[in-house]
PDB file of all heavy atoms in Angstrom:
ATOM      1  N   PRO A  12       5.843  78.506  97.980  1.00 97.00           N
ATOM      2  CA  PRO A  12       6.645  79.553  97.372  1.00 97.00           C
ATOM      3  C   PRO A  12       7.399  79.033  96.144  1.00 97.00           C
ATOM      4  O   PRO A  12       7.450  77.829  95.914  1.00 97.00           O
ATOM      5  CB  PRO A  12       7.616  79.924  98.496  1.00 97.00           C
ATOM      6  CG  PRO A  12       7.801  78.641  99.248  1.00 97.00           C
ATOM      7  CD  PRO A  12       6.455  77.951  99.209  1.00 97.00           C
ATOM      8  N   ARG A  13       7.959  79.921  95.374  1.00 97.00           N
ATOM      9  CA  ARG A  13       8.747  79.480  94.220  1.00 97.00           C
ATOM     10  C   ARG A  13      10.138  79.010  94.665  1.00 97.00           C
ATOM     11  O   ARG A  13      10.716  78.120  94.053  1.00 97.00           O
ATOM     12  CB  ARG A  13       8.877  80.611  93.209  1.00 97.00           C
ATOM     13  CG  ARG A  13       7.563  81.023  92.585  1.00 97.00           C
ATOM     14  CD  ARG A  13       7.029  79.947  91.642  1.00 97.00           C
ATOM     15  NE  ARG A  13       8.008  79.592  90.631  1.00 97.00           N
ATOM     16  CZ  ARG A  13       8.223  80.260  89.515  1.00 97.00           C
ATOM     17  NH1 ARG A  13       7.493  81.335  89.235  1.00 97.00           N
ATOM     18  NH2 ARG A  13       9.126  79.858  88.649  1.00 97.00           N
ATOM     19  N   HIS A  14      10.633  79.637  95.682  1.00 97.00           N
ATOM     20  CA  HIS A  14      11.927  79.249  96.243  1.00 97.00           C
ATOM     21  C   HIS A  14      11.769  79.166  97.757  1.00 97.00           C
ATOM     22  O   HIS A  14      11.122  80.024  98.367  1.00 97.00           O
ATOM     23  CB  HIS A  14      13.014  80.268  95.898  1.00 97.00           C
ATOM     24  CG  HIS A  14      13.238  80.424  94.426  1.00 97.00           C
ATOM     25  ND1 HIS A  14      14.101  79.622  93.715  1.00 97.00           N
ATOM     26  CD2 HIS A  14      12.689  81.282  93.526  1.00 97.00           C
ATOM     27  CE1 HIS A  14      14.088  79.979  92.442  1.00 97.00           C
ATOM     28  NE2 HIS A  14      13.241  80.980  92.303  1.00 97.00           N
ATOM     29  N   LEU A  15      12.367  78.125  98.326  1.00 98.00           N
ATOM     30  CA  LEU A  15      12.260  77.918  99.765  1.00 98.00           C
ATOM     31  C   LEU A  15      13.610  77.438 100.269  1.00 98.00           C
ATOM     32  O   LEU A  15      14.175  76.472  99.739  1.00 98.00           O
ATOM     33  CB  LEU A  15      11.170  76.881 100.050  1.00 98.00           C
ATOM     34  CG  LEU A  15      10.873  76.542 101.498  1.00 98.00           C
ATOM     35  CD1 LEU A  15      10.390  77.774 102.253  1.00 98.00           C
ATOM     36  CD2 LEU A  15       9.840  75.419 101.588  1.00 98.00           C
ATOM     37  N   VAL A  16      14.106  78.105 101.292  1.00 98.00           N
ATOM     38  CA  VAL A  16      15.359  77.702 101.902  1.00 98.00           C
ATOM     39  C   VAL A  16      15.057  77.251 103.324  1.00 98.00           C
ATOM     40  O   VAL A  16      14.400  77.962 104.091  1.00 98.00           O
ATOM     41  CB  VAL A  16      16.386  78.854 101.918  1.00 98.00           C
ATOM     42  CG1 VAL A  16      17.679  78.399 102.593  1.00 98.00           C
ATOM     43  CG2 VAL A  16      16.667  79.337 100.501  1.00 98.00           C
ATOM     44  N   ARG A  17      15.510  76.073 103.666  1.00 98.00           N
ATOM     45  CA  ARG A  17      15.322  75.535 105.015  1.00 98.00           C
ATOM     46  C   ARG A  17      16.639  74.994 105.522  1.00 98.00           C
ATOM     47  O   ARG A  17      17.453  74.477 104.755  1.00 98.00           O
ATOM     48  CB  ARG A  17      14.290  74.411 105.007  1.00 98.00           C
ATOM     49  CG  ARG A  17      12.847  74.894 104.875  1.00 98.00           C
ATOM     50  CD  ARG A  17      12.381  75.511 106.167  1.00 98.00           C
ATOM     51  NE  ARG A  17      11.039  76.057 106.101  1.00 98.00           N
ATOM     52  CZ  ARG A  17      10.752  77.304 105.803  1.00 98.00           C
ATOM     53  NH1 ARG A  17      11.720  78.172 105.510  1.00 98.00           N
ATOM     54  NH2 ARG A  17       9.502  77.713 105.784  1.00 98.00           N
ATOM     55  N   ARG A  18      16.815  75.087 106.847  1.00 98.00           N
ATOM     56  CA  ARG A  18      17.985  74.459 107.471  1.00 98.00           C
ATOM     57  C   ARG A  18      17.649  73.005 107.754  1.00 98.00           C
ATOM     58  O   ARG A  18      16.465  72.642 107.924  1.00 98.00           O
ATOM     59  CB  ARG A  18      18.341  75.173 108.758  1.00 98.00           C
ATOM     60  CG  ARG A  18      18.906  76.567 108.565  1.00 98.00           C
ATOM     61  CD  ARG A  18      19.623  77.007 109.814  1.00 98.00           C
ATOM     62  NE  ARG A  18      20.215  78.329 109.631  1.00 98.00           N
ATOM     63  CZ  ARG A  18      19.631  79.458 110.004  1.00 98.00           C
ATOM     64  NH1 ARG A  18      18.460  79.431 110.591  1.00 98.00           N
ATOM     65  NH2 ARG A  18      20.219  80.604 109.791  1.00 98.00           N
ATOM     66  N   ARG A  19      18.655  72.186 107.819  1.00 97.00           N
ATOM     67  CA  ARG A  19      18.457  70.777 108.153  1.00 97.00           C
ATOM     68  C   ARG A  19      17.653  70.647 109.438  1.00 97.00           C
ATOM     69  O   ARG A  19      17.910  71.342 110.419  1.00 97.00           O
ATOM     70  CB  ARG A  19      19.794  70.072 108.323  1.00 97.00           C
ATOM     71  CG  ARG A  19      20.449  69.668 107.013  1.00 97.00           C
ATOM     72  CD  ARG A  19      21.790  69.006 107.249  1.00 97.00           C
ATOM     73  NE  ARG A  19      22.738  69.931 107.868  1.00 97.00           N
ATOM     74  CZ  ARG A  19      23.909  69.570 108.371  1.00 97.00           C
ATOM     75  NH1 ARG A  19      24.278  68.297 108.359  1.00 97.00           N
ATOM     76  NH2 ARG A  19      24.718  70.460 108.893  1.00 97.00           N
ATOM     77  N   GLY A  20      16.668  69.779 109.414  1.00 97.00           N
ATOM     78  CA  GLY A  20      15.835  69.547 110.591  1.00 97.00           C
ATOM     79  C   GLY A  20      14.548  70.347 110.617  1.00 97.00           C
ATOM     80  O   GLY A  20      13.641  70.030 111.392  1.00 97.00           O
ATOM     81  N   GLN A  21      14.449  71.380 109.788  1.00 98.00           N
ATOM     82  CA  GLN A  21      13.221  72.176 109.754  1.00 98.00           C
ATOM     83  C   GLN A  21      12.171  71.479 108.890  1.00 98.00           C
ATOM     84  O   GLN A  21      12.427  70.487 108.240  1.00 98.00           O
ATOM     85  CB  GLN A  21      13.520  73.582 109.211  1.00 98.00           C
ATOM     86  CG  GLN A  21      14.344  74.428 110.146  1.00 98.00           C
ATOM     87  CD  GLN A  21      14.520  75.840 109.615  1.00 98.00           C
ATOM     88  OE1 GLN A  21      14.732  76.072 108.422  1.00 98.00           O
ATOM     89  NE2 GLN A  21      14.424  76.803 110.525  1.00 98.00           N
ATOM     90  N   GLU A  22      10.994  72.052 108.878  1.00 98.00           N
ATOM     91  CA  GLU A  22       9.904  71.536 108.060  1.00 98.00           C
ATOM     92  C   GLU A  22       9.726  72.407 106.822  1.00 98.00           C
ATOM     93  O   GLU A  22       9.904  73.616 106.883  1.00 98.00           O
ATOM     94  CB  GLU A  22       8.602  71.528 108.861  1.00 98.00           C
ATOM     95  CG  GLU A  22       7.397  71.036 108.080  1.00 98.00           C
ATOM     96  CD  GLU A  22       6.121  71.041 108.916  1.00 98.00           C
ATOM     97  OE1 GLU A  22       5.969  70.171 109.789  1.00 98.00           O
ATOM     98  OE2 GLU A  22       5.258  71.922 108.671  1.00 98.00           O
ATOM     99  N   ALA A  23       9.371  71.763 105.717  1.00 98.00           N
ATOM    100  CA  ALA A  23       9.065  72.494 104.492  1.00 98.00           C
ATOM    101  C   ALA A  23       7.623  72.202 104.097  1.00 98.00           C
ATOM    102  O   ALA A  23       7.186  71.044 104.123  1.00 98.00           O
ATOM    103  CB  ALA A  23      10.006  72.054 103.368  1.00 98.00           C
ATOM    104  N   ARG A  24       6.894  73.255 103.761  1.00 98.00           N
ATOM    105  CA  ARG A  24       5.511  73.116 103.278  1.00 98.00           C
ATOM    106  C   ARG A  24       5.406  73.738 101.903  1.00 98.00           C
ATOM    107  O   ARG A  24       5.662  74.930 101.739  1.00 98.00           O
ATOM    108  CB  ARG A  24       4.533  73.798 104.231  1.00 98.00           C
ATOM    109  CG  ARG A  24       4.256  72.995 105.466  1.00 98.00           C
ATOM    110  CD  ARG A  24       3.118  73.603 106.271  1.00 98.00           C
ATOM    111  NE  ARG A  24       2.860  72.787 107.443  1.00 98.00           N
ATOM    112  CZ  ARG A  24       1.668  72.375 107.808  1.00 98.00           C
ATOM    113  NH1 ARG A  24       0.610  72.703 107.091  1.00 98.00           N
ATOM    114  NH2 ARG A  24       1.520  71.637 108.886  1.00 98.00           N
ATOM    115  N   LEU A  25       5.010  72.932 100.950  1.00 98.00           N
ATOM    116  CA  LEU A  25       4.902  73.381  99.573  1.00 98.00           C
ATOM    117  C   LEU A  25       3.418  73.355  99.198  1.00 98.00           C
ATOM    118  O   LEU A  25       2.737  72.368  99.466  1.00 98.00           O
ATOM    119  CB  LEU A  25       5.693  72.459  98.639  1.00 98.00           C
ATOM    120  CG  LEU A  25       7.233  72.532  98.671  1.00 98.00           C
ATOM    121  CD1 LEU A  25       7.812  72.166 100.025  1.00 98.00           C
ATOM    122  CD2 LEU A  25       7.816  71.647  97.594  1.00 98.00           C
ATOM    123  N   ARG A  26       2.956  74.422  98.563  1.00 98.00           N
ATOM    124  CA  ARG A  26       1.534  74.545  98.232  1.00 98.00           C
ATOM    125  C   ARG A  26       1.297  74.505  96.735  1.00 98.00           C
ATOM    126  O   ARG A  26       2.108  75.006  95.947  1.00 98.00           O
ATOM    127  CB  ARG A  26       0.974  75.843  98.799  1.00 98.00           C
ATOM    128  CG  ARG A  26       0.982  75.900 100.302  1.00 98.00           C
ATOM    129  CD  ARG A  26       0.552  77.271 100.816  1.00 98.00           C
ATOM    130  NE  ARG A  26       0.744  77.376 102.246  1.00 98.00           N
ATOM    131  CZ  ARG A  26       1.908  77.590 102.830  1.00 98.00           C
ATOM    132  NH1 ARG A  26       2.996  77.733 102.111  1.00 98.00           N
ATOM    133  NH2 ARG A  26       1.990  77.669 104.140  1.00 98.00           N
ATOM    134  N   CYS A  27       0.177  73.932  96.380  1.00 98.00           N
ATOM    135  CA  CYS A  27      -0.191  73.819  94.970  1.00 98.00           C
ATOM    136  C   CYS A  27      -1.676  74.088  94.812  1.00 98.00           C
ATOM    137  O   CYS A  27      -2.509  73.401  95.418  1.00 98.00           O
ATOM    138  CB  CYS A  27       0.127  72.421  94.457  1.00 98.00           C
ATOM    139  SG  CYS A  27      -0.552  72.057  92.822  1.00 98.00           S
ATOM    140  N   SER A  28      -2.000  75.075  93.998  1.00 97.00           N
ATOM    141  CA  SER A  28      -3.401  75.345  93.665  1.00 97.00           C
ATOM    142  C   SER A  28      -3.630  74.880  92.242  1.00 97.00           C
ATOM    143  O   SER A  28      -3.027  75.418  91.301  1.00 97.00           O
ATOM    144  CB  SER A  28      -3.705  76.836  93.796  1.00 97.00           C
ATOM    145  OG  SER A  28      -3.567  77.258  95.129  1.00 97.00           O
ATOM    146  N   PRO A  29      -4.486  73.877  92.036  1.00 96.00           N
ATOM    147  CA  PRO A  29      -4.696  73.358  90.680  1.00 96.00           C
ATOM    148  C   PRO A  29      -5.452  74.354  89.819  1.00 96.00           C
ATOM    149  O   PRO A  29      -5.984  75.355  90.306  1.00 96.00           O
ATOM    150  CB  PRO A  29      -5.523  72.101  90.925  1.00 96.00           C
ATOM    151  CG  PRO A  29      -6.235  72.349  92.211  1.00 96.00           C
ATOM    152  CD  PRO A  29      -5.290  73.181  93.040  1.00 96.00           C
ATOM    153  N   MET A  30      -5.493  74.049  88.539  1.00 95.00           N
ATOM    154  CA  MET A  30      -6.281  74.869  87.620  1.00 95.00           C
ATOM    155  C   MET A  30      -7.755  74.787  88.018  1.00 95.00           C
ATOM    156  O   MET A  30      -8.215  73.780  88.564  1.00 95.00           O
ATOM    157  CB  MET A  30      -6.094  74.383  86.188  1.00 95.00           C
ATOM    158  CG  MET A  30      -4.741  74.710  85.601  1.00 95.00           C
ATOM    159  SD  MET A  30      -4.534  74.105  83.913  1.00 95.00           S
ATOM    160  CE  MET A  30      -5.667  75.189  83.042  1.00 95.00           C
ATOM    161  N   LYS A  31      -8.504  75.812  87.701  1.00 92.00           N
ATOM    162  CA  LYS A  31      -9.926  75.848  88.021  1.00 92.00           C
ATOM    163  C   LYS A  31     -10.619  74.658  87.365  1.00 92.00           C
ATOM    164  O   LYS A  31     -10.414  74.373  86.173  1.00 92.00           O
ATOM    165  CB  LYS A  31     -10.535  77.155  87.522  1.00 92.00           C
ATOM    166  CG  LYS A  31     -11.976  77.362  87.949  1.00 92.00           C
ATOM    167  CD  LYS A  31     -12.478  78.734  87.516  1.00 92.00           C
ATOM    168  CE  LYS A  31     -13.915  78.935  87.974  1.00 92.00           C
ATOM    169  NZ  LYS A  31     -14.440  80.272  87.567  1.00 92.00           N
ATOM    170  N   GLY A  32     -11.423  73.961  88.155  1.00 89.00           N
ATOM    171  CA  GLY A  32     -12.146  72.811  87.621  1.00 89.00           C
ATOM    172  C   GLY A  32     -11.380  71.504  87.689  1.00 89.00           C
ATOM    173  O   GLY A  32     -11.934  70.444  87.410  1.00 89.00           O
ATOM    174  N   HIS A  33     -10.103  71.566  88.069  1.00 91.00           N
ATOM    175  CA  HIS A  33      -9.302  70.340  88.177  1.00 91.00           C
ATOM    176  C   HIS A  33      -9.377  69.823  89.607  1.00 91.00           C
ATOM    177  O   HIS A  33      -9.115  70.564  90.558  1.00 91.00           O
ATOM    178  CB  HIS A  33      -7.839  70.622  87.815  1.00 91.00           C
ATOM    179  CG  HIS A  33      -7.617  70.846  86.367  1.00 91.00           C
ATOM    180  ND1 HIS A  33      -6.365  70.821  85.798  1.00 91.00           N
ATOM    181  CD2 HIS A  33      -8.485  71.090  85.344  1.00 91.00           C
ATOM    182  CE1 HIS A  33      -6.459  71.038  84.503  1.00 91.00           C
ATOM    183  NE2 HIS A  33      -7.740  71.225  84.202  1.00 91.00           N
ATOM    184  N   SER A  34      -9.691  68.537  89.739  1.00 90.00           N
ATOM    185  CA  SER A  34      -9.810  67.952  91.067  1.00 90.00           C
ATOM    186  C   SER A  34      -8.764  66.867  91.308  1.00 90.00           C
ATOM    187  O   SER A  34      -8.846  66.149  92.306  1.00 90.00           O
ATOM    188  CB  SER A  34     -11.213  67.364  91.251  1.00 90.00           C
ATOM    189  OG  SER A  34     -11.496  66.456  90.198  1.00 90.00           O
ATOM    190  N   HIS A  35      -7.811  66.754  90.401  1.00 92.00           N
ATOM    191  CA  HIS A  35      -6.776  65.725  90.518  1.00 92.00           C
ATOM    192  C   HIS A  35      -5.421  66.422  90.544  1.00 92.00           C
ATOM    193  O   HIS A  35      -5.131  67.261  89.685  1.00 92.00           O
ATOM    194  CB  HIS A  35      -6.836  64.758  89.337  1.00 92.00           C
ATOM    195  CG  HIS A  35      -8.133  64.012  89.244  1.00 92.00           C
ATOM    196  ND1 HIS A  35      -8.221  62.663  89.454  1.00 92.00           N
ATOM    197  CD2 HIS A  35      -9.390  64.440  89.001  1.00 92.00           C
ATOM    198  CE1 HIS A  35      -9.488  62.289  89.322  1.00 92.00           C
ATOM    199  NE2 HIS A  35     -10.212  63.344  89.055  1.00 92.00           N
ATOM    200  N   VAL A  36      -4.616  66.075  91.523  1.00 95.00           N
ATOM    201  CA  VAL A  36      -3.316  66.720  91.718  1.00 95.00           C
ATOM    202  C   VAL A  36      -2.223  65.659  91.809  1.00 95.00           C
ATOM    203  O   VAL A  36      -2.415  64.604  92.431  1.00 95.00           O
ATOM    204  CB  VAL A  36      -3.329  67.582  93.000  1.00 95.00           C
ATOM    205  CG1 VAL A  36      -1.919  67.965  93.412  1.00 95.00           C
ATOM    206  CG2 VAL A  36      -4.156  68.845  92.783  1.00 95.00           C
ATOM    207  N   TYR A  37      -1.107  65.948  91.189  1.00 96.00           N
ATOM    208  CA  TYR A  37       0.042  65.053  91.175  1.00 96.00           C
ATOM    209  C   TYR A  37       1.266  65.853  91.628  1.00 96.00           C
ATOM    210  O   TYR A  37       1.451  66.992  91.217  1.00 96.00           O
ATOM    211  CB  TYR A  37       0.307  64.510  89.767  1.00 96.00           C
ATOM    212  CG  TYR A  37      -0.902  63.913  89.087  1.00 96.00           C
ATOM    213  CD1 TYR A  37      -1.870  64.728  88.513  1.00 96.00           C
ATOM    214  CD2 TYR A  37      -1.081  62.542  89.018  1.00 96.00           C
ATOM    215  CE1 TYR A  37      -2.991  64.188  87.883  1.00 96.00           C
ATOM    216  CE2 TYR A  37      -2.194  61.991  88.392  1.00 96.00           C
ATOM    217  CZ  TYR A  37      -3.142  62.821  87.830  1.00 96.00           C
ATOM    218  OH  TYR A  37      -4.251  62.282  87.207  1.00 96.00           O
ATOM    219  N   TRP A  38       2.107  65.223  92.437  1.00 97.00           N
ATOM    220  CA  TRP A  38       3.375  65.847  92.838  1.00 97.00           C
ATOM    221  C   TRP A  38       4.532  65.031  92.258  1.00 97.00           C
ATOM    222  O   TRP A  38       4.514  63.785  92.284  1.00 97.00           O
ATOM    223  CB  TRP A  38       3.504  65.891  94.357  1.00 97.00           C
ATOM    224  CG  TRP A  38       2.658  66.923  95.031  1.00 97.00           C
ATOM    225  CD1 TRP A  38       1.400  66.764  95.549  1.00 97.00           C
ATOM    226  CD2 TRP A  38       3.022  68.288  95.287  1.00 97.00           C
ATOM    227  NE1 TRP A  38       0.962  67.940  96.090  1.00 97.00           N
ATOM    228  CE2 TRP A  38       1.937  68.898  95.962  1.00 97.00           C
ATOM    229  CE3 TRP A  38       4.154  69.062  95.032  1.00 97.00           C
ATOM    230  CZ2 TRP A  38       1.945  70.227  96.371  1.00 97.00           C
ATOM    231  CZ3 TRP A  38       4.165  70.379  95.441  1.00 97.00           C
ATOM    232  CH2 TRP A  38       3.078  70.962  96.104  1.00 97.00           C
ATOM    233  N   TYR A  39       5.543  65.775  91.764  1.00 97.00           N
ATOM    234  CA  TYR A  39       6.747  65.176  91.205  1.00 97.00           C
ATOM    235  C   TYR A  39       7.964  65.858  91.826  1.00 97.00           C
ATOM    236  O   TYR A  39       7.899  67.027  92.231  1.00 97.00           O
ATOM    237  CB  TYR A  39       6.805  65.373  89.679  1.00 97.00           C
ATOM    238  CG  TYR A  39       5.730  64.665  88.904  1.00 97.00           C
ATOM    239  CD1 TYR A  39       4.456  65.214  88.792  1.00 97.00           C
ATOM    240  CD2 TYR A  39       5.981  63.457  88.261  1.00 97.00           C
ATOM    241  CE1 TYR A  39       3.459  64.563  88.076  1.00 97.00           C
ATOM    242  CE2 TYR A  39       4.991  62.805  87.530  1.00 97.00           C
ATOM    243  CZ  TYR A  39       3.731  63.373  87.449  1.00 97.00           C
ATOM    244  OH  TYR A  39       2.747  62.731  86.729  1.00 97.00           O
ATOM    245  N   ARG A  40       9.072  65.137  91.852  1.00 97.00           N
ATOM    246  CA  ARG A  40      10.315  65.710  92.351  1.00 97.00           C
ATOM    247  C   ARG A  40      11.396  65.565  91.277  1.00 97.00           C
ATOM    248  O   ARG A  40      11.473  64.527  90.603  1.00 97.00           O
ATOM    249  CB  ARG A  40      10.749  64.990  93.633  1.00 97.00           C
ATOM    250  CG  ARG A  40      12.068  65.479  94.190  1.00 97.00           C
ATOM    251  CD  ARG A  40      12.318  65.014  95.597  1.00 97.00           C
ATOM    252  NE  ARG A  40      12.547  63.583  95.714  1.00 97.00           N
ATOM    253  CZ  ARG A  40      12.931  62.979  96.832  1.00 97.00           C
ATOM    254  NH1 ARG A  40      13.099  63.702  97.927  1.00 97.00           N
ATOM    255  NH2 ARG A  40      13.113  61.685  96.862  1.00 97.00           N
TER     256      ARG A  40
END
Side-chain angles (χ1 to χ4, degrees):
Chain A
R13 295 290 305 278
H14 299 273
L15 181 61
V16 179
R17 285 286 177 267
R18 290 198 178 96
R19 280 178 296 169
Q21 291 184 319
E22 179 180 286
R24 282 189 179 229
L25 287 62
R26 295 174 188 78
C27 169
S28 296
M30 287 179 70
K31 187 175 181 180
H33 287 195
S34 54
H35 298 248
V36 165
Y37 309 78
W38 285 93
Y39 295 81
R40 177 166 68 172

